[in-house]
Amino acid sequence: MAINTNEPKRMRDVLLEQIYQKMFKDDRIFFLSDDLGAPILDKLRQDFKDRFINVGIAEQNLINVATGLGLEGFTVYAYGLAPFFLRAYEQIRINLALSGQMKEINVNMIGVGSGVSYDVSGPTHHCLEDLIVMRALPNIVIFSPSDWYITQQFIDYSINVKKPKYIRLDGKPMPCIYDKHTRFNWDNGFHEIRKGDDLCIISTGYPTHMSVHIINKLRGMNKNMGLIDVFLLKPINRDALFNSLKNYKQLITIEEAFIDKGGLDALMLGILNDKNSRIPVHRFGFKDEYLFKFGSRDYLYRSQDIDENTLLQRILQMMEKQEKNRTSKLHN
Amino acid sequence: MANFDFLEKKSKWVRTETLKLHKFAPGTRIASSLSAVEILVVLYYDNILDYDPKNVLWEQRNRFIISKGHGSVSMYPILADLGFFDLAELGRISTENSFLGNIPDTGVPGFETINGSVGHGLGIGCGVALALKRKGIDKKVFVLSGDGELNEGAVWEAVMFASFHNLNNLILIIDNNKLSMLGYQKDILGMEPLKHKFTTFKWKAECVNGHNIKQLSEALHRLNRDTSDQPKVLIANTIKGKGIPELENDELCHVRVLTEEEINRTLQKWQ
């Protein structure tokens, strides 16, 4: 089947289709939902009545039943809205993170609607904490894809790597960043989209789309900026990531999550600190407040001063400063 | 026909060994561990559970999930006696390099799950029961729960799930000792009428005296053979701190640590 990566698609639809196809070949896959649906889920529910289970609006039991099936060797997908997994944080901690250290448990939590992708649904349906709180748990793999192509490619990893995983999916249909020839290094957990000169963006999820637009605009101004997309926040090859960015003069992190609480920004600061690096890091994300505002995603980003145009202006200022420094060093 | 005399003697031995463990590790929850002794003895020594101590993950075993983690220290002597691990391990409880802690976890051979946080076992039991049906393994899944942990909402998510999905291979045993940490459940949330609550949720429910070997044995064999399409619950009415008057009459016995003198006096009395 030809893949048209320009076609806007939801990550959810692409992943569910992959799971559906795998369930024909592999009868050890269960799909559990906390009463959350999707049009594409209807055929899965119909064709696999004995392996699709709607546990009801009961996230704690979603995780517990998934654990029981996982302990018996089944591959389990546990599907729900991203923010509501936090309701079952205790179950995730005890039965997946703790138990996952002692036993093989392949439970894949699929959290749909990460960040503010359900923009107009208000703060209960925004999820700016998940990256942070899931990172706090040992033994949980965190997959944070930036487009539907990498989400599609994740299916084999989800089956073969028999560990508990949190899959953070954006809720909006979007075209791909990656083309169909891209091969991902799952041991590294990140992908260098472009090598730059002095500055590099490190982003995850939806902000990688913004970052691609930004580096393309900069290119039009003859400025070459680097971009690294982090898709596995855990586990990630810290040495390889550091090697990819150690020659930059300044770094910028962008994430659709609260900043300064332990997400992507903390991951980067930790790596740089451990390597005794002094590269300055400019961190962009959501401030320490909930958004009781209704409007487009761009409107929400503007309210936080992290929309594409603002970021572009900030980056141009950084570049200007960098240039001045270079010039003054030359004159001295 | 079960040898009740043998089971009585075993219970006495387990009770004694559990108290000795409390002497080694005073942080163990002794009162809570004593209420479940007869339940555990009947499960392990009366041909209820199928297990293989040399192959703990034997596919055909009964899965036994202990949801009341704190109160299952009495499992240690039983598992050691049956050969899951060496008896000498008991003397090393809660010391460096021992896998036996004050609260058992899944690192102890014979324990299926993590148990220190209550209210998880039944939901996991539901998943395991589904899995065994899918695999075609005709063995029951047993879950041991305290009554206090029934306060947790997650338990009732699982109660609804089990009956809706006709998990007739799931047997919940409630060690109904009626006390949690700060006192009697009747003064906290009042879980009674417990049996009625379960039958309303379409479970098959029975009550027994949880210290009466004969009653426990008959009820567990009956439920193990039961072919109805319902999940089953055995409410075992027990006494927290059973066998030790200082504990039996103490509302706050959950966290009570017995003095060495109290332990020695009791051990002498039990000889």
Side-chain angles (χ1 to χ4, degrees):
Chain A
M1 198 169 62
I3 297 175
N4 174 11
T5 49
N6 289 323
E7 190 188 341
K9 287 186 187 182
R10 285 189 175 84
M11 296 173 182
R12 173 197 75 186
D13 295 344
V14 170
L15 184 60
L16 295 188
E17 177 66 31
Q18 290 294 309
I19 296 168
Y20 175 70
Q21 296 299 337
K22 288 286 182 190
M23 284 175 82
F24 281 104
K25 296 174 207 145
D26 184 348
D27 64 358
R28 296 177 68 82
I29 298 175
F30 269 86
F31 193 102
L32 312 183
S33 165
D34 64 348
D35 200 40
L36 179 67
I40 206 160
L41 196 57
D42 292 343
K43 62 181 182 185
L44 190 152
R45 296 200 288 157
Q46 191 59 36
D47 291 346
F48 299 106
K49 286 193 172 103
D50 51 348
R51 285 187 285 144
F52 170 87
I53 300 168
N54 181 354
V55 302
I57 308 167
E59 289 75 17
Q60 300 176 79
N61 208 38
L62 173 74
I63 300 300
N64 285 351
V65 172
T67 302
L69 288 163
L71 283 170
E72 290 294 329
F74 289 95
T75 299
V76 188
Y77 294 90
Y79 175 75
L81 272 198
F84 303 141
F85 277 96
L86 303 192
R87 188 186 191 107
Y89 194 63
E90 152 77 359
Q91 280 69 26
I92 296 169
R93 176 177 172 264
I94 299 290
N95 299 319
L96 298 181
L98 267 82
S99 303
Q101 188 162 320
M102 308 293 281
K103 308 224 165 177
E104 196 173 273
I105 306 174
N106 193 5
V107 171
N108 297 273
M109 298 175 271
I110 307 173
V112 179
S114 62
V116 294
S117 55
Y118 289 137
D119 39 21
V120 290
S121 298
T124 59
H125 283 56
H126 297 162
C127 190
L128 297 164
E129 302 94 342
D130 55 350
L131 274 187
I132 299 151
V133 298
M134 293 298 177
R135 253 198 98 220
L137 297 173
N139 310 312
I140 303 275
V141 173
I142 304 174
F143 177 54
S144 171
S146 58
D147 76 2
W148 63 255
Y149 179 70
I150 190 172
T151 308
Q152 189 178 54
Q153 301 301 304
F154 183 68
I155 186 73
D156 288 330
Y157 186 99
S158 75
I159 292 170
N160 297 336
V161 177
K162 300 191 183 308
K163 290 178 179 168
K165 303 176 205 77
Y166 179 69
I167 303 168
R168 188 186 200 239
L169 298 186
D170 200 275
K172 292 248 189 285
M174 286 182 284
C176 285
I177 290 170
Y178 295 111
D179 68 45
K180 62 184 176 188
H181 305 295
T182 316
R183 292 291 165 266
F184 300 100
N185 184 332
W186 298 97
D187 293 324
N188 275 357
F190 65 91
H191 193 84
E192 187 170 51
I193 293 177
R194 189 173 301 162
K195 264 193 204 323
D197 295 332
D198 292 337
L199 275 77
C200 181
I201 299 177
I202 301 118
S203 57
T204 188
Y206 172 75
T208 300
H209 285 260
M210 298 167 60
S211 305
V212 168
H213 297 161
I214 289 171
I215 62 168
N216 285 340
K217 281 181 185 169
L218 287 167
R219 220 177 193 188
M221 304 175 199
N222 282 325
K223 293 175 193 299
N224 186 28
M225 178 152 197
L227 173 58
I228 287 173
D229 180 36
V230 171
F231 52 84
L232 282 180
L233 273 94
K234 276 181 76 178
I236 191 163
N237 185 336
R238 297 167 82 98
D239 293 333
L241 182 52
F242 180 71
N243 282 335
S244 301
L245 46 78
K246 65 182 176 192
N247 293 323
Y248 287 107
K249 302 286 185 293
Q250 297 185 65
L251 300 173
I252 290 118
T253 62
I254 315 174
E255 60 200 297
E256 199 171 273
F258 289 128
I259 52 164
D260 204 23
K261 286 177 189 283
L264 177 68
D265 58 341
L267 172 70
M268 293 314 305
L269 291 176
I271 292 172
L272 293 172
N273 182 69
D274 291 352
K275 302 286 183 185
N276 295 315
S277 165
R278 294 186 179 195
I279 309 173
V281 182
H282 307 272
R283 298 177 287 159
F284 295 96
F286 284 73
K287 295 171 198 158
D288 190 21
E289 63 182 20
Y290 288 103
L291 298 173
F292 288 90
K293 295 180 168 89
F294 303 96
S296 68
R297 197 174 203 172
D298 186 55
Y299 167 74
L300 297 176
Y301 271 69
R302 270 184 279 137
S303 77
Q304 298 278 308
D305 295 325
I306 54 168
D307 55 290
E308 227 172 272
N309 280 334
T310 306
L311 288 176
L312 179 63
Q313 294 312 315
R314 296 284 302 273
I315 289 166
L316 283 169
Q317 287 165 8
M318 293 173 207
M319 287 180 158
E320 201 177 326
K321 211 174 152 188
Q322 188 71 41
E323 198 52 41
K324 269 186 191 164
N325 281 348
R326 197 201 313 271
T327 324
S328 71
K329 270 183 190 161
L330 281 175
H331 287 279
N332 288 335
Chain B
M1 184 66 190
N3 184 340
F4 296 129
D5 201 36
F6 166 77
L7 296 173
E8 292 285 359
K9 277 188 185 137
K10 249 329 163 196
S11 302
K12 214 174 154 179
W13 176 79
V14 171
R15 192 161 259 114
T16 303
E17 291 304 309
T18 304
L19 188 56
K20 284 184 189 165
L21 287 171
H22 184 59
K23 195 169 163 182
F24 293 131
T28 48
R29 297 283 176 250
I30 183 65
S32 181
S33 295
L34 292 177
S35 59
V37 168
E38 284 80 6
I39 297 169
L40 298 173
V41 165
V42 171
L43 283 171
Y44 277 93
Y45 294 94
D46 194 24
N47 296 318
I48 304 280
L49 297 182
D50 278 340
Y51 50 82
D52 180 356
K54 299 297 167 217
N55 180 13
V56 291
L57 294 179
W58 176 44
E59 192 70 351
Q60 292 296 322
R61 75 192 183 281
N62 284 104
R63 275 63 163 174
F64 176 37
I65 293 166
I66 295 179
S67 201
K68 51 166 282 175
H70 310 69
S72 59
V73 173
S74 39
M75 276 286 283
Y76 289 167
I78 294 174
L79 292 174
D81 184 41
L82 294 172
F84 282 83
F85 50 84
D86 201 290
L87 266 167
E89 289 293 337
L90 298 179
R92 289 198 280 271
I93 181 173
S94 297
T95 58
E96 285 174 23
N97 302 324
S98 172
F99 53 79
L100 304 176
N102 281 3
I103 300 171
D105 63 41
T106 186
V108 180
F111 275 88
E112 298 273 355
T113 57
I114 294 272
N115 320 285
S117 176
V118 296
H120 294 294
L122 190 60
I124 295 174
C126 287
V128 173
L130 275 173
L132 294 198
K133 278 177 178 273
R134 178 86 202 158
K135 290 180 184 177
I137 295 174
D138 187 20
K139 289 285 169 66
K140 298 277 197 297
V141 177
F142 290 81
V143 177
L144 176 68
S145 159
D147 58 319
E149 72 176 282
L150 302 178
N151 295 169
E152 293 281 5
V155 173
W156 297 93
E157 291 182 5
V159 168
M160 288 185 277
F161 183 92
S163 53
F164 182 79
H165 288 278
N166 300 324
L167 296 181
N168 55 352
N169 57 342
L170 181 66
I171 299 178
L172 170 67
I173 304 168
I174 299 173
D175 176 5
N176 191 27
N177 63 31
K178 304 170 196 70
L179 268 170
S180 50
M181 192 187 278
L182 278 186
Y184 288 96
Q185 271 292 320
K186 69 177 169 54
D187 302 322
I188 297 168
L189 276 179
M191 297 308 289
E192 295 294 343
L194 208 43
K195 184 177 175 187
H196 184 63
K197 282 193 166 92
F198 277 92
T199 53
T200 301
F201 280 102
K202 298 182 183 156
W203 281 55
K204 181 174 265 192
E206 286 194 32
C207 295
V208 289
N209 174 342
H211 299 300
N212 185 310
I213 293 281
K214 185 167 180 286
Q215 280 187 29
L216 276 170
S217 169
E218 285 170 359
L220 284 171
H221 278 290
R222 191 163 53 242
L223 293 176
N224 203 15
R225 283 194 304 265
D226 188 280
T227 53
S228 69
D229 62 359
Q230 293 165 283
K232 304 148 228 310
V233 57
L234 181 67
I235 300 167
N237 292 309
T238 57
I239 294 166
K240 198 155 173 168
K242 173 71 176 173
I244 303 181
E246 292 94 322
L247 297 176
E248 286 188 16
N249 298 312
D250 183 358
E251 202 175 354
L252 298 176
C253 65
H254 183 77
V255 287
R256 175 95 179 257
V257 178
L258 294 174
T259 63
E260 204 165 320
E261 195 205 323
E262 285 172 319
I263 294 172
N264 290 340
R265 199 169 55 226
T266 307
L267 288 174
Q268 215 162 22
K269 200 167 81 182
W270 285 354
Q271 268 180 1

